[in-house]
Amino acid sequence: MSEADNVRAMARGQLITLEGGEGAGKSTQAARLAARLRARDLAVTLTREPGGSPGAEAIRELLVKGDTDRWSATAETLLMYAARDDHIERRVAPALARGDVVVCDRFADSTRAYQGAGGGASEALIGALEGDMRARCWPDLTLIFDIEPAAGLARALGRAGAETRFEAKGPAFHERLRAAFLAIAKAEPERCTIIDAGQDVDLVEQAVWRAVDGRLRR
């Protein structure tokens, strides 16, 4: 058994990640999914990226605010992985070790989409950072929320108190994000399920539950 397999064997819980572009409704559905899981008497940790731990939340403030060109794609990638390292060590890994279902709003696929496909960060850099992290923690199931970028942006920009640094990066950026997430789903169909996020919120919740229910370890 490899080191990565040993790590996963010790992690008794499950990691479910929600991915997608801006305004896809991930945060709403993450909260609804966590509530459904708790109603099944499952221990649940609901978290997010960037963020989820005090150190990672501090880094989040650097990433989601300011001008769109505040950071280069390489700098953003390094900041994302600094936040992810702290998040995994202090929140995700302990939750998995005690048997929780961890529901995480964004994870490593967002770095591939936003900083990689969207921003142009080096594939080699992202691959090296991701390879190290995969040995520690990787999703059991990823739900990719797919929505037309223009519709998602209209939703996102209509939210009160919205963090708009990434929303403001322009239509072409958001089209690249969508294509990248769909490519990830195609490349890893055993892990990823595409959710039509343009539907009514209750229909999206039903689709999420159909995807999750059969994959739970009880």
Side-chain angles (χ1 to χ4, degrees), residues 134-169:
R134 275 180 182 250
R136 301 165 56 200
C137 182
W138 195 244
D140 297 285
L141 173 64
T142 296
L143 306 175
I144 293 183
F145 288 70
D146 183 49
I147 190 170
E148 289 285 347
L153 285 170
R155 283 183 184 177
L157 293 171
R159 292 188 303 234
E163 299 162 334
T164 58
R165 180 170 175 264
F166 287 103
E167 286 88 338
K169 283 182 176 282

Side-chain angles (χ1 to χ4, degrees), residues 32 41 79 131-132 138-140 154 159 163 169 181 193 195:
R32 289 188 176 205
D41 293 325
L79 286 167
D132 176 74
W138 195 244
D140 297 285
R159 292 188 303 234
E163 299 162 334
K169 283 182 176 282
F181 281 122
T193 297
I195 302 293

Side-chain angles (χ1 to χ4, degrees), residues 94-181:
L96 292 173
R98 65 177 176 257
D100 286 14
V101 179
V102 178
V103 177
C104 189
D105 181 355
R106 296 200 183 283
F107 199 64
D109 294 314
S110 279
T111 303
R112 283 200 168 272
Y114 277 74
Q115 285 70 51
S122 162
E123 174 70 22
L125 172 64
I126 293 174
L129 293 167
E130 183 181 289
D132 176 74
M133 186 271 297
R134 275 180 182 250
R136 301 165 56 200
C137 182
W138 195 244
D140 297 285
L141 173 64
T142 296
L143 306 175
I144 293 183
F145 288 70
D146 183 49
I147 190 170
E148 289 285 347
L153 285 170
R155 283 183 184 177
L157 293 171
R159 292 188 303 234
E163 299 162 334
T164 58
R165 180 170 175 264
F166 287 103
E167 286 88 338
K169 283 182 176 282
F173 176 86
H174 293 281
E175 291 289 350
R176 293 196 297 275
L177 293 186
R178 186 188 193 190
F181 281 122

